[in-house]
mmCIF file of all heavy atoms in Angstrom:
data_model
loop_
_atom_site.group_PDB
_atom_site.id
_atom_site.type_symbol
_atom_site.label_atom_id
_atom_site.label_comp_id
_atom_site.label_asym_id
_atom_site.label_seq_id
_atom_site.Cartn_x
_atom_site.Cartn_y
_atom_site.Cartn_z
ATOM 1 N N LEU A 18 14.875 5.028 -10.053
ATOM 2 C CA LEU A 18 15.610 4.605 -11.239
ATOM 3 C C LEU A 18 14.699 4.336 -12.372
ATOM 4 O O LEU A 18 15.018 4.701 -13.630
ATOM 5 C CB LEU A 18 16.527 3.448 -11.047
ATOM 6 C CG LEU A 18 17.786 3.648 -10.085
ATOM 7 C CD1 LEU A 18 18.471 2.432 -9.821
ATOM 8 C CD2 LEU A 18 18.617 4.777 -10.624
ATOM 9 N N HIS A 19 13.602 3.707 -12.022
ATOM 10 C CA HIS A 19 12.544 3.381 -13.115
ATOM 11 C C HIS A 19 11.943 4.676 -13.761
ATOM 12 O O HIS A 19 11.900 4.768 -14.976
ATOM 13 C CB HIS A 19 11.463 2.638 -12.422
ATOM 14 C CG HIS A 19 10.495 1.946 -13.438
ATOM 15 N ND1 HIS A 19 10.750 1.075 -14.352
ATOM 16 C CD2 HIS A 19 9.142 2.247 -13.618
ATOM 17 C CE1 HIS A 19 9.773 0.630 -15.027
ATOM 18 N NE2 HIS A 19 8.737 1.435 -14.654
ATOM 19 N N SER A 20 11.747 5.694 -12.964
ATOM 20 C CA SER A 20 11.284 6.863 -13.290
ATOM 21 C C SER A 20 12.247 7.732 -14.104
ATOM 22 O O SER A 20 11.863 8.290 -15.155
ATOM 23 C CB SER A 20 10.776 7.798 -12.165
ATOM 24 O OG SER A 20 9.721 7.158 -11.493
ATOM 25 N N LEU A 21 13.468 7.779 -13.676
ATOM 26 C CA LEU A 21 14.512 8.521 -14.394
ATOM 27 C C LEU A 21 14.840 7.850 -15.798
ATOM 28 O O LEU A 21 14.965 8.618 -16.701
ATOM 29 C CB LEU A 21 15.838 8.518 -13.537
ATOM 30 C CG LEU A 21 15.757 9.433 -12.434
ATOM 31 C CD1 LEU A 21 17.025 9.268 -11.568
ATOM 32 C CD2 LEU A 21 15.549 10.848 -12.806
ATOM 33 N N THR A 22 14.876 6.591 -15.884
ATOM 34 C CA THR A 22 15.116 5.848 -17.137
ATOM 35 C C THR A 22 13.952 5.980 -18.111
ATOM 36 O O THR A 22 14.293 5.767 -19.351
ATOM 37 C CB THR A 22 15.639 4.511 -16.911
ATOM 38 O OG1 THR A 22 14.729 3.768 -16.176
ATOM 39 C CG2 THR A 22 17.022 4.456 -16.266
ATOM 40 N N ALA A 23 12.847 6.294 -17.589
ATOM 41 C CA ALA A 23 11.637 6.574 -18.500
ATOM 42 C C ALA A 23 11.540 7.921 -19.148
ATOM 43 O O ALA A 23 10.772 8.190 -20.049
ATOM 44 C CB ALA A 23 10.368 6.113 -17.721
ATOM 45 N N THR A 24 12.301 8.738 -18.595
ATOM 46 C CA THR A 24 12.381 10.209 -19.230
ATOM 47 C C THR A 24 12.944 10.202 -20.507
ATOM 48 O O THR A 24 13.716 9.553 -20.898
ATOM 49 C CB THR A 24 13.063 11.181 -18.189
ATOM 50 O OG1 THR A 24 14.459 10.856 -18.238
ATOM 51 C CG2 THR A 24 12.427 11.184 -16.832
ATOM 52 N N GLU A 25 12.359 11.324 -21.288
ATOM 53 C CA GLU A 25 12.851 11.571 -22.557
ATOM 54 C C GLU A 25 14.335 11.975 -22.680
ATOM 55 O O GLU A 25 15.072 11.649 -23.494
ATOM 56 C CB GLU A 25 12.089 12.611 -23.249
ATOM 57 C CG GLU A 25 10.599 12.149 -23.695
ATOM 58 C CD GLU A 25 10.741 11.033 -24.738
ATOM 59 O OE1 GLU A 25 11.566 11.026 -25.566
ATOM 60 O OE2 GLU A 25 9.984 10.069 -24.509
ATOM 61 N N SER A 26 14.720 12.709 -21.617
ATOM 62 C CA SER A 26 16.133 13.121 -21.565
ATOM 63 C C SER A 26 17.119 11.949 -21.382
ATOM 64 O O SER A 26 18.186 11.973 -21.900
ATOM 65 C CB SER A 26 16.331 14.063 -20.440
ATOM 66 O OG SER A 26 15.961 13.586 -19.161
ATOM 67 N N CYS A 27 16.736 10.911 -20.635
ATOM 68 C CA CYS A 27 17.452 9.759 -20.504
ATOM 69 C C CYS A 27 17.599 9.025 -21.802
ATOM 70 O O CYS A 27 18.550 8.418 -22.226
ATOM 71 C CB CYS A 27 16.979 8.829 -19.438
ATOM 72 S SG CYS A 27 18.063 7.463 -18.947
ATOM 73 N N LYS A 28 16.445 8.900 -22.599
ATOM 74 C CA LYS A 28 16.442 8.295 -23.852
ATOM 75 C C LYS A 28 17.385 9.018 -24.820
ATOM 76 O O LYS A 28 18.159 8.469 -25.610
ATOM 77 C CB LYS A 28 14.962 8.103 -24.338
ATOM 78 C CG LYS A 28 14.114 7.236 -23.514
ATOM 79 C CD LYS A 28 12.671 7.350 -24.102
ATOM 80 C CE LYS A 28 11.758 6.604 -23.205
ATOM 81 N NZ LYS A 28 10.328 6.734 -23.533
ATOM 82 N N LYS A 29 17.253 10.365 -24.777
ATOM 83 C CA LYS A 29 18.106 11.164 -25.678
ATOM 84 C C LYS A 29 19.673 10.905 -25.263
ATOM 85 O O LYS A 29 20.471 10.822 -26.276
ATOM 86 C CB LYS A 29 17.825 12.623 -25.583
ATOM 87 C CG LYS A 29 16.466 12.997 -26.165
ATOM 88 C CD LYS A 29 16.141 14.456 -25.992
ATOM 89 C CE LYS A 29 14.723 14.671 -26.533
ATOM 90 N NZ LYS A 29 14.329 16.136 -26.219
ATOM 91 N N MET A 30 20.014 10.907 -24.045
ATOM 92 C CA MET A 30 21.253 10.637 -23.682
ATOM 93 C C MET A 30 21.793 9.196 -24.215
ATOM 94 O O MET A 30 22.856 9.112 -24.643
ATOM 95 C CB MET A 30 21.485 10.594 -22.092
ATOM 96 C CG MET A 30 22.917 10.520 -21.653
ATOM 97 S SD MET A 30 23.131 10.727 -19.926
ATOM 98 C CE MET A 30 22.288 9.273 -19.338
ATOM 99 N N ALA A 31 20.878 8.135 -24.112
ATOM 100 C CA ALA A 31 21.361 6.887 -24.570
ATOM 101 C C ALA A 31 21.557 6.982 -26.110
ATOM 102 O O ALA A 31 22.420 6.308 -26.692
ATOM 103 C CB ALA A 31 20.102 5.854 -24.389
ATOM 104 N N PHE A 32 20.738 7.754 -26.783
ATOM 105 C CA PHE A 32 20.968 7.879 -28.315
ATOM 106 C C PHE A 32 22.321 8.609 -28.468
ATOM 107 O O PHE A 32 23.059 8.242 -29.498
ATOM 108 C CB PHE A 32 19.929 8.793 -28.901
ATOM 109 C CG PHE A 32 20.049 8.849 -30.464
ATOM 110 C CD1 PHE A 32 19.790 7.724 -31.182
ATOM 111 C CD2 PHE A 32 20.326 10.019 -30.971
ATOM 112 C CE1 PHE A 32 19.941 7.863 -32.589
ATOM 113 C CE2 PHE A 32 20.528 10.146 -32.393
ATOM 114 C CZ PHE A 32 20.223 9.061 -33.140
ATOM 115 N N LYS A 33 22.731 9.504 -27.800
ATOM 116 C CA LYS A 33 24.005 10.158 -27.937
ATOM 117 C C LYS A 33 25.160 9.244 -27.633
ATOM 118 O O LYS A 33 26.109 9.384 -28.325
ATOM 119 C CB LYS A 33 24.116 11.325 -26.952
ATOM 120 C CG LYS A 33 23.274 12.526 -27.481
ATOM 121 C CD LYS A 33 23.400 13.727 -26.473
ATOM 122 C CE LYS A 33 22.555 14.883 -26.893
ATOM 123 N NZ LYS A 33 22.676 15.973 -25.930
ATOM 124 N N LEU A 34 24.951 8.325 -26.664
ATOM 125 C CA LEU A 34 26.030 7.357 -26.365
ATOM 126 C C LEU A 34 26.241 6.315 -27.485
ATOM 127 O O LEU A 34 27.403 5.838 -27.742
ATOM 128 C CB LEU A 34 25.663 6.674 -24.976
ATOM 129 C CG LEU A 34 25.767 7.540 -23.778
ATOM 130 C CD1 LEU A 34 25.271 6.720 -22.484
ATOM 131 C CD2 LEU A 34 27.146 8.074 -23.514
#
Side-chain angles (χ1 to χ4, degrees):
L18 292 176
H19 189 66
S20 296
L21 287 176
T22 55
T24 63
E25 287 301 317
S26 59
C27 190
K28 292 175 190 174
K29 287 177 185 175
M30 187 173 70
F32 184 70
K33 286 179 184 178
L34 291 174

